Amino acid sequence: WIQSGALNWTEVPPRVEGIIAERLNRLSAESRELLRAAGTEGEDFTAEVAACVAGWEPRDAIRHLSEVLGRQEQLVEALDVQTAHGGRASRYRFSHALFRQQLLETLDAAERCYIHEAVAGCLPKVYGTTAGLEQQLASHLLEARLEHQALPYLIAAGDAALKSFANREAHAAYERAVRSVETGGA
């Protein structure tokens, strides 16, 4: 056994990338759309948010994620179900980061912006209040190139971090807010 340097997961061998792409391309267009919406939220995602973004009924999306994309294709796995906004938030995770990476690479810049905007719009619908979601909302709105809409969430995220004595995180949020203003966000 010989120890080598750390693996660089950003450099996927072309053969592996081709196998993953082929596997994802076998899915229906609807399945890929649901997974792109999920992947835009993150490696861990909320089924109801993905359903909202992709235009699915939540129950249909959960059934599809569990049966087809989970048990059959083994692309996602269920994590837990939380109570949220008088309903449920069903949490899932991609079974491997490379599946998510490959899905997101198929999006062009304009598509990516609109999906991030939709995720930012669906998160409060699923989770209710924006309290606790400030950082996520700010990140998605910045990715959607909507700096002016992200600004209040960046400030709120900085304020929340300060209250919990997370000075580094607060500084980072305020820095992003300043950059947002400088780039025309306000």
Side-chain angles (χ1 to χ4, degrees):
W1 180 79
I2 299 172
Q3 183 177 357
S4 65
L7 291 174
N8 183 353
W9 288 104
T10 59
E11 293 180 18
V12 180
R15 181 176 164 94
V16 172
E17 193 171 308
I19 291 169
I20 292 169
E22 180 182 321
R23 188 167 171 194
L24 294 172
N25 286 334
R26 285 191 307 224
L27 299 173
S28 68
E30 294 81 13
S31 292
R32 286 192 306 274
E33 182 180 2
L34 182 64
L35 286 174
R36 283 185 193 108
T40 300
E41 184 183 353
E43 192 168 329
D44 293 357
F45 61 91
T46 311
E48 290 81 1
V49 172
C52 175
V53 171
W56 288 50
E57 288 296 321
R59 178 68 183 111
D60 294 337
I62 289 167
R63 184 178 299 119
H64 195 75
L65 285 163
S66 294
E67 292 176 11
V68 176
L69 301 173
R71 284 189 283 277
Q72 289 176 18
E73 299 295 335
Q74 298 180 347
L75 298 172
V76 298
E77 54 193 41
L79 295 176
D80 62 13
V81 178
Q82 303 167 354
T83 302
H85 193 50
R88 289 179 291 276
S90 309
R91 301 289 297 160
Y92 284 78
R93 170 182 292 144
F94 281 89
S95 56
H96 198 288
L98 292 178
F99 293 131
R100 176 178 177 249
Q101 178 182 328
Q102 183 69 32
L103 283 160
L104 295 180
E105 286 178 3
T106 64
L107 297 172
D108 65 32
E111 269 185 307
R112 192 174 293 115
C113 285
Y114 279 98
I115 294 175
H116 276 289
E117 180 181 12
V119 169
C122 290
L123 279 167
K125 290 178 184 174
V126 171
Y127 287 100
T129 178
T130 59
L133 297 175
E134 297 92 357
Q135 189 61 49
Q136 283 179 279
L137 291 168
S139 292
H140 287 295
L141 290 168
L142 288 171
E143 289 291 332
R145 305 295 189 263
L146 298 170
E147 290 84 1
H148 61 286
Q149 291 181 27
L151 185 59
Y153 295 114
L154 288 168
I155 293 168
D159 293 347
L162 270 182
K163 286 180 185 173
S164 62
F165 301 103
N167 295 340
R168 226 177 260 163
E169 289 81 0
H171 183 265
Y174 293 140
E175 279 276 319
R176 287 178 77 186
V178 168
R179 281 196 309 272
S180 170
V181 171
E182 289 175 349
T183 60

